[in-house]
Amino acid sequence: MSDISVIVLDVDGGDMLRACLDSIAAQTLPPREVIVFDNGSRTPAAERIGFRHGLHIFRTETNLGFAGGNNAAYRHVTGEYIALINNDVILDRDWLATVAAALDADSKLAAVQTILRRDETIIDGAGIDISDGTFRQITWGRGRLARSSTDDSAKYGGRDARVPGAWGVSATAALYRREALGDSIFDETLFAYYEDVELCARLHEARWCTEVLPVIKATHHGSQSASILGGDALRLRTRNRYLVARKHRGVGRIGALLREDLKLALRGRTSLRGIWQGLFTR
C-alpha cells in the first residue's frame, strides 16, 4: 500500500463514476485511501455506488464548485501524495505507480500527470500550454493513433523526454505532493475552470516544478462541468482566464486573451459579462 490519497469529485456520476472507481481499485500500486466527495448530487453518491472497501464518501448539499469541492475533500486526506481524478477518467492499471515514481525521483517536483487519451485514436490532453499568452490544453497528436501503454515510451522518447510546450499539469488526472499544496489546493474564488492553471502558477512561483510524463496512461471521456453548471459555464470559463492573468504576472497576457475572445465572440463562444468581471473584479 502506498502513501497516496485519491480524491474523486462527483456530481451525479453513474456508470462513469463506477468505472473510474473500478480503475482505481485495479491499480498495481494500491492507494492508501480513496475519497469520493459528493458535491451536491441530487442522488447521494452512497446510494449510487454502495459500499466499497477502503472508500470514504463525504457529501455536501450544495455544489461548492470544482475548487471548493476538492478543497473540502482535501481536508480529509492522510497521504503525502494527493491524486485528483475526474469521475469521467479511467486509469490504466499502472497510472499510480508511474506518477508516484516520478515524484519519488525528484524532490522538487510538485505535480505530475501523464498524457490522456480520448479514445484509441485521439489524444485528449498533454498538459497546459501558456506560450501564446492564453491558456489551453495541449492536444498535439489529436487524430493519431494513441498506442497501447507498452508502446508509449518508444513513441514519446522515454522517461527523460519532455512534452513540447507543457508548462503545467491538468487537474483532470494528476498527482500532487502534499507538502507543495499547503493548507488547500485551489483558489475557491474561481469556483470552476482554470483552477489548475492558477495552482501551477503558484507552485512555479514557489519554485516547485511540474511535469507531464510522455506516456499515455489514462482515458478521459469528456468534461461534464458544462452540463452541470448550465449557462454559467461560459461566463466562468471566460472570467477566470483574466483573473488568473491578473493575479500571476507572466502567466497569460490580457491582450492575447482579448484577441482570442474577439474571435470567439463571432461564434458566440465567449461571455462579455465574463470579460468584464475578469478585467475589473477586485
Side-chain angles (χ1 to χ4, degrees):
M1 184 169 295
S2 65
D3 200 15
I4 300 172
S5 296
V6 176
I7 294 174
V8 179
L9 189 68
D10 180 67
V11 181
D12 287 311
D15 290 341
M16 67 178 182
L17 173 60
R18 286 186 285 272
C20 175
L21 294 176
D22 287 345
S23 75
I24 295 170
Q27 291 297 295
T28 57
L29 179 65
R32 176 175 187 158
E33 61 193 357
V34 179
I35 294 172
V36 172
F37 191 83
D38 183 342
N39 201 20
S41 297
R42 289 166 295 182
T43 302
E47 296 179 15
R48 287 180 277 116
I49 59 179
F51 172 78
R52 292 176 181 234
H53 180 72
L55 184 67
H56 308 284
I57 302 176
F58 300 93
R59 173 175 168 79
T60 177
E61 294 296 329
T62 58
N63 190 326
L64 304 178
F66 187 84
N70 276 297
N71 284 350
Y74 181 60
R75 290 193 280 271
H76 298 283
V77 302
T78 60
E80 291 306 312
Y81 292 166
I82 313 299
L84 301 185
I85 311 297
N86 277 17
N87 68 354
D88 55 2
V89 167
I90 307 297
L91 303 177
D92 291 11
R93 293 190 69 245
D94 59 347
W95 185 87
L96 273 181
T98 300
V99 291
L103 286 190
D104 287 341
D106 186 351
S107 62
K108 295 295 185 182
L109 189 59
V112 61
Q113 73 163 94
T114 68
I115 297 170
L116 298 164
R117 63 174 79 79
R118 176 59 60 92
D119 56 35
E120 291 307 314
T121 62
I122 298 175
I123 291 175
D124 181 79
I128 299 167
D129 180 13
I130 65 168
S131 60
D132 67 352
T134 68
F135 314 120
R136 63 187 73 253
Q137 287 286 331
I138 297 171
T139 55
W140 54 265
R142 276 187 181 271
R144 298 192 322 212
L145 178 66
R147 299 181 187 177
S148 65
S149 298
T150 56
D151 294 330
D152 290 341
S153 293
K155 182 177 181 182
Y156 294 102
R159 172 66 180 84
D160 293 331
R162 293 293 181 268
V163 174
W167 166 84
V169 303
S170 166
T172 304
L175 186 68
Y176 298 87
R177 192 182 300 274
R178 188 176 183 180
E179 176 189 356
L181 295 176
D183 295 333
S184 63
I185 305 175
F186 296 121
D187 179 353
E188 294 187 19
T189 62
L190 299 177
F191 192 80
Y193 299 113
Y194 297 103
E195 314 91 336
D196 47 6
V197 178
E198 195 281 329
L199 171 59
C200 286
R202 275 188 284 126
L203 292 173
H204 292 164
E205 288 167 1
R207 305 205 180 267
W208 289 98
C209 300
T210 62
E211 184 175 357
V212 179
L213 302 180
V215 291
I216 304 169
K217 294 289 182 184
T219 303
H220 182 215
H221 290 295
S223 174
Q224 305 296 312
S225 300
S227 60
I228 294 167
L229 294 171
D232 216 25
L234 183 58
R235 179 186 67 83
L236 289 171
R237 280 202 305 269
T238 305
R239 182 199 69 168
N240 287 356
R241 302 192 314 156
Y242 293 93
L243 293 182
V244 172
R246 288 172 56 198
K247 184 175 181 179
H248 298 283
R249 184 178 179 85
V251 179
R253 299 192 300 272
I254 298 298
L257 293 171
L258 284 171
R259 284 192 295 273
E260 184 173 63
D261 274 323
L262 285 175
K263 296 177 183 177
L264 292 172
L266 297 176
R267 291 176 282 169
R269 293 177 55 191
T270 193
S271 165
L272 296 179
R273 182 184 173 199
I275 295 173
W276 179 266
Q277 291 178 339
L279 288 173
F280 301 109
T281 298
R282 290 183 179 271

